[in-house]
Amino acid sequence: MSGQSITDRITAAQHSMTGSAISKAVCKATTHEVSGPKRKHLDYLIHCTSEMNVNIPQMADTLFERTANSSWVVVFKALITTHHLMMYGNERFIQYLASRNTLFNLNNFLDKGALQGYDMSTFIRRYSRYLNEKALSYRLVAVDFTKMKRGVDGVMRTMNTEKLLKTLPIIQNQLDALLDFQANPNELTNGVINAAFMLLFKDSIRLFAAYNEGVINLLEKYFDMKKNQCKDALDIYKRFLLRMTKLSEFLKVAEQVGIDQGDIPDLTQAPSSLLEALEQHLASLEGRKIKEFSAASRYERLPNIPN
Protein backbone atom coordinates (compact mmCIF):
# COMPACT_ATOMS: atom_id res chain seq x y z
CA MET A 1 0.00 0.00 0.00
CA SER A 2 1.52 3.29 -1.05
CA GLY A 3 0.26 6.82 -1.48
CA GLN A 4 -2.96 8.31 -0.19
CA SER A 5 -6.05 6.15 -0.33
CA ILE A 6 -9.28 7.29 -1.97
CA THR A 7 -10.72 7.63 1.54
CA ASP A 8 -7.86 9.98 2.51
CA ARG A 9 -8.52 12.19 -0.51
CA ILE A 10 -12.27 12.30 0.04
CA THR A 11 -11.82 13.17 3.73
CA ALA A 12 -9.31 15.92 2.91
CA ALA A 13 -11.66 17.31 0.27
CA GLN A 14 -14.52 17.39 2.77
CA HIS A 15 -12.40 19.41 5.19
CA SER A 16 -11.45 21.77 2.36
CA MET A 17 -15.12 22.36 1.61
CA THR A 18 -15.98 23.06 5.25
CA GLY A 19 -12.98 25.38 5.62
CA SER A 20 -11.34 23.37 8.41
CA ALA A 21 -7.63 23.81 7.64
CA ILE A 22 -6.54 22.11 10.86
CA SER A 23 -8.74 19.06 10.25
CA LYS A 24 -7.39 18.87 6.72
CA ALA A 25 -3.78 19.02 7.99
CA VAL A 26 -4.50 16.30 10.56
CA CYS A 27 -6.03 14.16 7.83
CA LYS A 28 -3.01 14.67 5.58
CA ALA A 29 -0.59 13.91 8.43
CA THR A 30 -2.41 10.65 9.14
CA THR A 31 -2.99 9.15 5.70
CA HIS A 32 -2.85 5.43 4.89
CA GLU A 33 0.54 5.95 3.26
CA VAL A 34 3.13 3.76 5.05
CA SER A 35 5.57 6.53 5.94
CA GLY A 36 5.92 8.98 8.80
CA PRO A 37 3.74 12.13 8.83
CA LYS A 38 5.06 14.70 6.35
CA ARG A 39 7.07 17.56 7.82
CA LYS A 40 4.99 20.31 6.19
CA HIS A 41 1.80 19.07 7.88
CA LEU A 42 3.50 18.69 11.26
CA ASP A 43 5.03 22.16 10.98
CA TYR A 44 1.64 23.66 10.16
CA LEU A 45 0.02 21.99 13.18
CA ILE A 46 2.90 23.09 15.44
CA HIS A 47 2.36 26.66 14.24
CA CYS A 48 -1.37 26.36 14.98
CA THR A 49 -0.74 25.45 18.64
CA SER A 50 0.63 28.97 19.16
CA GLU A 51 -2.26 30.76 17.44
CA MET A 52 -4.63 32.18 20.03
CA ASN A 53 -7.66 31.81 17.76
CA VAL A 54 -7.04 28.05 17.38
CA ASN A 55 -9.24 25.79 19.48
CA ILE A 56 -6.76 23.35 21.08
CA PRO A 57 -9.43 20.94 22.42
CA GLN A 58 -10.92 20.72 18.94
CA MET A 59 -7.49 20.04 17.42
CA ALA A 60 -6.84 17.30 19.96
CA ASP A 61 -10.28 15.79 19.37
CA THR A 62 -9.55 15.61 15.65
CA LEU A 63 -6.41 13.58 16.42
CA PHE A 64 -8.30 11.36 18.85
CA GLU A 65 -10.91 10.70 16.17
CA ARG A 66 -8.18 9.46 13.84
CA THR A 67 -7.17 6.85 16.44
CA ALA A 68 -10.67 5.35 16.07
CA ASN A 69 -9.71 4.28 12.54
CA SER A 70 -9.38 0.56 11.85
CA SER A 71 -6.05 0.94 10.02
CA TRP A 72 -2.86 0.59 12.05
CA VAL A 73 -1.17 3.10 9.72
CA VAL A 74 -3.69 5.87 10.42
CA VAL A 75 -3.77 5.21 14.17
CA PHE A 76 0.02 5.02 14.50
CA LYS A 77 0.44 8.28 12.55
CA ALA A 78 -2.18 10.00 14.73
CA LEU A 79 -0.16 9.01 17.81
CA ILE A 80 3.08 10.20 16.20
CA THR A 81 1.49 13.52 15.28
CA THR A 82 0.21 13.95 18.85
CA HIS A 83 3.64 13.10 20.27
CA HIS A 84 5.28 15.57 17.89
CA LEU A 85 2.94 18.35 19.05
CA MET A 86 3.59 17.48 22.70
CA MET A 87 7.32 17.83 22.06
CA TYR A 88 7.47 20.83 19.73
CA GLY A 89 4.11 22.57 19.96
CA ASN A 90 3.05 25.37 22.29
CA GLU A 91 2.85 24.22 25.90
CA ARG A 92 -0.90 24.78 25.95
CA PHE A 93 -1.28 21.65 23.81
CA ILE A 94 0.24 19.30 26.40
CA GLN A 95 -1.50 21.30 29.15
CA TYR A 96 -4.83 20.47 27.55
CA LEU A 97 -3.96 16.79 27.14
CA ALA A 98 -2.91 16.66 30.80
CA SER A 99 -6.24 18.19 31.85
CA ARG A 100 -8.26 15.36 30.31
CA ASN A 101 -9.26 12.36 32.41
CA THR A 102 -8.51 10.00 29.53
CA LEU A 103 -6.43 10.25 26.37
CA PHE A 104 -5.90 7.16 24.26
CA ASN A 105 -7.83 4.00 25.00
CA LEU A 106 -6.07 1.63 22.63
CA ASN A 107 -5.22 -1.29 24.93
CA ASN A 108 -7.35 -3.59 22.79
CA PHE A 109 -6.48 -2.14 19.39
CA LEU A 110 -5.85 -4.78 16.72
CA ASP A 111 -5.76 -4.41 12.95
CA LYS A 112 -6.45 -7.87 11.53
CA GLY A 113 -6.89 -6.65 8.00
CA ALA A 114 -3.30 -5.75 7.07
CA LEU A 115 -0.15 -7.77 6.52
CA GLN A 116 1.72 -6.00 9.33
CA GLY A 117 -1.41 -5.38 11.37
CA TYR A 118 -0.73 -7.76 14.24
CA ASP A 119 2.88 -6.67 14.81
CA MET A 120 2.21 -2.94 14.46
CA SER A 121 -0.88 -3.12 16.68
CA THR A 122 1.34 -4.34 19.53
CA PHE A 123 3.53 -1.26 19.19
CA ILE A 124 0.49 1.02 18.92
CA ARG A 125 -0.80 -0.28 22.26
CA ARG A 126 2.59 0.29 23.89
CA TYR A 127 3.10 3.71 22.30
CA SER A 128 -0.33 4.95 23.36
CA ARG A 129 0.40 3.92 26.95
CA TYR A 130 3.59 5.97 26.88
CA LEU A 131 1.78 9.07 25.60
CA ASN A 132 -0.84 8.61 28.31
CA GLU A 133 1.94 8.40 30.92
CA LYS A 134 3.70 11.47 29.48
CA ALA A 135 0.48 13.49 29.82
CA LEU A 136 -0.12 12.12 33.33
CA SER A 137 3.40 13.15 34.39
CA TYR A 138 2.66 16.69 33.25
CA ARG A 139 -0.63 16.61 35.13
CA LEU A 140 1.14 15.57 38.35
CA VAL A 141 4.06 18.02 38.28
CA ALA A 142 2.94 20.74 35.79
CA VAL A 143 6.16 20.43 33.81
CA ASP A 144 7.47 18.34 30.92
CA PHE A 145 10.52 16.47 32.24
CA THR A 146 12.06 16.48 28.76
CA LYS A 147 12.07 20.30 28.70
CA MET A 148 13.35 21.05 32.20
CA LYS A 149 16.26 23.40 32.79
CA ARG A 150 19.31 21.24 33.37
CA GLY A 151 22.74 21.63 34.94
CA VAL A 152 23.92 22.38 38.46
CA ASP A 153 21.30 25.13 38.81
CA GLY A 154 18.62 23.13 37.01
CA VAL A 155 15.25 22.03 38.39
CA MET A 156 16.21 18.51 39.47
CA ARG A 157 19.57 19.50 40.95
CA THR A 158 18.05 22.24 43.15
CA MET A 159 14.86 20.43 44.22
CA ASN A 160 14.38 19.89 47.97
CA THR A 161 14.39 16.40 49.48
CA GLU A 162 10.66 16.03 50.05
CA LYS A 163 9.73 17.09 46.53
CA LEU A 164 12.55 15.03 45.03
CA LEU A 165 11.27 11.85 46.68
CA LYS A 166 7.83 12.48 45.16
CA THR A 167 9.06 13.52 41.71
CA LEU A 168 11.60 10.81 40.91
CA PRO A 169 9.04 7.95 40.99
CA ILE A 170 6.94 9.91 38.45
CA ILE A 171 9.95 10.12 36.12
CA GLN A 172 10.55 6.40 36.71
CA ASN A 173 6.99 5.57 35.64
CA GLN A 174 7.28 7.63 32.47
CA LEU A 175 10.63 6.08 31.57
CA ASP A 176 9.22 2.60 32.22
CA ALA A 177 6.36 3.26 29.80
CA LEU A 178 8.85 4.47 27.18
CA LEU A 179 11.17 1.49 27.55
CA ASP A 180 8.20 -0.88 27.34
CA PHE A 181 8.02 -0.05 23.62
CA GLN A 182 10.66 -2.80 23.29
CA ALA A 183 11.35 -2.77 19.56
CA ASN A 184 14.34 -4.60 18.16
CA PRO A 185 16.04 -3.54 14.89
CA ASN A 186 14.24 -6.27 12.91
CA GLU A 187 10.87 -4.84 13.96
CA LEU A 188 11.63 -1.29 12.80
CA THR A 189 10.55 -2.27 9.31
CA ASN A 190 8.74 0.79 7.96
CA GLY A 191 8.72 4.58 8.04
CA VAL A 192 5.80 4.78 10.46
CA ILE A 193 7.29 2.83 13.35
CA ASN A 194 10.68 4.43 12.63
CA ALA A 195 9.15 7.89 13.08
CA ALA A 196 7.69 6.84 16.44
CA PHE A 197 10.98 5.29 17.55
CA MET A 198 12.90 8.47 16.73
CA LEU A 199 10.57 10.55 18.93
CA LEU A 200 10.88 8.00 21.73
CA PHE A 201 14.66 8.08 21.39
CA LYS A 202 14.71 11.87 21.75
CA ASP A 203 12.42 11.70 24.78
CA SER A 204 14.55 8.95 26.36
CA ILE A 205 17.71 11.09 26.23
CA ARG A 206 16.04 14.13 27.78
CA LEU A 207 14.03 12.12 30.27
CA PHE A 208 17.11 10.26 31.46
CA ALA A 209 18.97 13.57 31.83
CA ALA A 210 16.31 14.82 34.28
CA TYR A 211 16.22 11.45 36.02
CA ASN A 212 20.00 11.30 36.36
CA GLU A 213 20.26 14.83 37.74
CA GLY A 214 17.52 14.08 40.25
CA VAL A 215 19.35 10.96 41.45
CA ILE A 216 22.61 12.91 41.79
CA ASN A 217 20.78 15.48 43.93
CA LEU A 218 19.23 12.64 45.94
CA LEU A 219 22.62 11.05 46.65
CA GLU A 220 24.11 14.38 47.66
CA LYS A 221 21.34 14.79 50.24
CA TYR A 222 21.21 11.14 51.31
CA PHE A 223 23.47 11.25 54.37
CA ASP A 224 21.51 14.16 55.84
CA MET A 225 18.09 12.51 55.39
CA LYS A 226 15.81 11.06 58.03
CA LYS A 227 15.54 7.28 58.26
CA ASN A 228 12.29 6.93 56.28
CA GLN A 229 13.61 9.29 53.61
CA CYS A 230 16.81 7.24 53.33
CA LYS A 231 14.73 4.10 52.90
CA ASP A 232 12.76 5.66 50.04
CA ALA A 233 15.88 7.16 48.49
CA LEU A 234 17.71 3.83 48.54
CA ASP A 235 14.76 2.14 46.85
CA ILE A 236 14.72 4.88 44.19
CA TYR A 237 18.45 4.47 43.59
CA LYS A 238 18.18 0.68 43.20
CA ARG A 239 15.36 1.16 40.68
CA PHE A 240 17.49 3.73 38.89
CA LEU A 241 20.29 1.18 38.41
CA LEU A 242 17.84 -1.31 36.89
CA ARG A 243 16.49 1.30 34.51
CA MET A 244 19.99 2.24 33.41
CA THR A 245 20.40 -1.34 32.20
CA LYS A 246 17.09 -1.25 30.31
CA LEU A 247 17.91 2.14 28.82
CA SER A 248 21.28 0.84 27.68
CA GLU A 249 19.49 -1.93 25.77
CA PHE A 250 17.09 0.60 24.22
CA LEU A 251 19.97 2.80 23.11
CA LYS A 252 21.78 -0.16 21.55
CA VAL A 253 18.79 -0.59 19.25
CA ALA A 254 19.00 3.10 18.34
CA GLU A 255 22.68 2.65 17.56
CA GLN A 256 22.02 -0.43 15.43
CA VAL A 257 19.48 1.39 13.27
CA GLY A 258 21.89 4.24 12.64
CA ILE A 259 20.74 6.99 15.00
CA ASP A 260 23.55 9.48 15.68
CA GLN A 261 25.61 8.06 18.53
CA GLY A 262 26.72 11.53 19.58
CA ASP A 263 23.36 11.96 21.31
CA ILE A 264 23.68 8.80 23.38
CA PRO A 265 24.59 9.42 27.05
CA ASP A 266 27.37 7.65 28.91
CA LEU A 267 25.66 5.06 31.10
CA THR A 268 28.73 4.12 33.16
CA GLN A 269 27.48 2.39 36.28
CA ALA A 270 28.43 3.77 39.68
CA PRO A 271 30.72 1.36 41.55
CA SER A 272 29.13 -1.22 43.83
CA SER A 273 30.84 0.37 46.84
CA LEU A 274 28.50 3.36 46.52
CA LEU A 275 25.41 1.17 46.87
CA GLU A 276 27.04 -0.62 49.79
CA ALA A 277 27.75 2.70 51.51
CA LEU A 278 24.11 3.75 51.10
CA GLU A 279 22.88 0.45 52.50
CA GLN A 280 25.29 0.62 55.43
CA HIS A 281 24.16 4.15 56.30
CA LEU A 282 20.51 3.09 56.37
CA ALA A 283 21.44 0.06 58.46
CA SER A 284 23.14 2.33 60.98
CA LEU A 285 20.02 4.52 61.23
CA GLU A 286 17.93 1.41 61.83
CA GLY A 287 20.36 0.19 64.48
CA ARG A 288 21.47 -2.84 62.52
CA LYS A 289 25.04 -4.12 62.53
CA ILE A 290 27.16 -2.50 59.82
CA LYS A 291 30.58 -2.70 58.27
CA GLU A 292 33.08 0.12 58.46
CA PHE A 293 33.12 2.44 55.46
CA SER A 294 35.32 5.41 54.84
CA ALA A 295 33.69 8.78 54.21
CA ALA A 296 35.21 8.76 50.74
CA SER A 297 33.18 5.71 49.76
CA ARG A 298 30.01 7.76 50.15
CA TYR A 299 30.84 9.94 47.19
CA GLU A 300 32.04 7.64 44.44
CA ARG A 301 31.73 8.92 40.87
CA LEU A 302 28.15 8.94 39.58
CA PRO A 303 27.02 8.17 36.02
CA ASN A 304 27.78 11.00 33.62
CA ILE A 305 25.01 13.49 32.87
CA PRO A 306 24.10 13.51 29.19
CA ASN A 307 24.37 16.88 27.49
Side-chain angles (χ1 to χ4, degrees):
M1 177 168 46
S2 63
Q4 294 182 38
S5 69
I6 293 175
T7 304
D8 293 331
R9 297 183 186 198
I10 292 173
T11 305
Q14 288 173 337
H15 292 312
S16 294
M17 292 171 63
T18 59
S20 178
I22 290 176
S23 295
K24 182 179 178 181
V26 168
C27 176
K28 285 184 170 291
T30 58
T31 62
H32 288 76
E33 188 176 4
V34 186
S35 61
K38 290 183 179 176
R39 170 62 63 178
K40 62 181 179 180
H41 304 312
L42 294 175
D43 286 347
Y44 174 74
L45 291 170
I46 288 170
H47 170 74
C48 287
T49 62
S50 295
E51 293 294 314
M52 289 301 105
N53 62 333
V54 166
N55 187 320
I56 295 295
Q58 189 174 28
M59 175 190 282
D61 284 343
T62 305
L63 285 163
F64 295 147
E65 287 168 10
R66 294 300 277 171
T67 65
N69 198 284
S70 60
S71 166
W72 72 264
V73 182
V74 173
V75 175
F76 219 151
K77 290 170 79 167
L79 295 176
I80 292 166
T81 302
T82 303
H83 192 181
H84 202 88
L85 296 180
M86 292 170 87
M87 290 175 71
Y88 302 112
N90 188 285
E91 191 171 6
R92 66 196 189 116
F93 183 79
I94 193 172
Q95 282 175 345
Y96 171 70
L97 297 186
S99 73
R100 292 177 58 108
N101 289 327
T102 58
L103 284 187
F104 301 109
N105 185 17
L106 295 170
N107 288 336
N108 297 316
F109 178 81
L110 181 60
D111 180 354
K112 300 179 182 179
L115 184 63
Q116 295 175 297
Y118 281 91
D119 292 339
M120 292 300 111
S121 294
T122 298
F123 291 111
I124 283 171
R125 295 192 294 269
R126 294 171 182 172
Y127 192 33
S128 65
R129 285 196 289 270
Y130 171 67
L131 295 183
N132 287 345
E133 195 65 41
K134 185 177 173 74
L136 176 60
S137 292
Y138 191 97
R139 183 176 185 172
L140 293 173
V141 297
V143 68
D144 184 343
F145 291 123
T146 67
K147 297 179 182 178
M148 277 182 161
K149 180 183 178 182
R150 284 156 44 188
V152 292
D153 60 344
V155 177
M156 297 305 297
R157 289 296 298 272
T158 56
M159 193 173 283
N160 65 48
T161 301
E162 187 176 346
K163 191 172 182 182
L164 200 56
L165 291 170
K166 292 179 180 178
T167 302
L168 281 169
I170 298 171
I171 299 182
Q172 287 177 342
N173 289 339
Q174 186 177 334
L175 186 61
D176 283 348
L178 189 155
L179 296 176
D180 280 346
F181 192 72
Q182 291 183 327
N184 65 53
N186 295 330
E187 292 169 318
L188 301 175
T189 54
N190 61 73
V192 181
I193 190 172
N194 282 329
F197 187 80
M198 178 57 78
L199 294 180
L200 289 170
F201 169 76
K202 290 178 179 177
D203 263 11
S204 73
I205 298 300
R206 297 165 184 167
L207 192 56
F208 177 75
Y211 190 21
N212 195 40
E213 291 190 352
V215 168
I216 289 172
N217 186 10
L218 191 75
L219 295 175
E220 289 172 345
K221 290 177 164 58
Y222 183 82
F223 295 97
D224 296 318
M225 290 181 186
K226 299 173 184 175
K227 181 172 67 176
N228 286 341
Q229 291 177 326
C230 279
K231 199 169 184 179
D232 291 341
L234 182 59
D235 182 61
I236 287 171
Y237 182 63
K238 288 179 178 178
R239 291 173 184 269
F240 172 76
L241 296 178
L242 293 174
R243 281 156 183 80
M244 282 183 66
T245 300
K246 289 184 69 175
L247 179 61
S248 180
E249 293 167 359
F250 178 85
L251 296 179
K252 282 179 185 175
V253 175
E255 183 180 350
Q256 289 168 359
V257 296
I259 294 177
D260 183 7
Q261 296 180 41
D263 292 331
I264 296 178
D266 180 358
L267 297 182
T268 305
Q269 289 275 11
S272 59
S273 57
L274 172 59
L275 179 58
E276 291 170 357
L278 301 178
E279 291 174 332
Q280 293 299 322
H281 179 68
L282 177 59
S284 70
L285 293 179
E286 293 177 338
R288 292 186 278 122
K289 193 173 181 180
I290 62 170
K291 298 175 186 176
E292 287 298 324
F293 272 83
S294 67
S297 68
R298 296 179 174 185
Y299 301 105
E300 297 277 3
R301 189 173 72 88
L302 302 177
N304 292 337
I305 302 171
N307 294 319

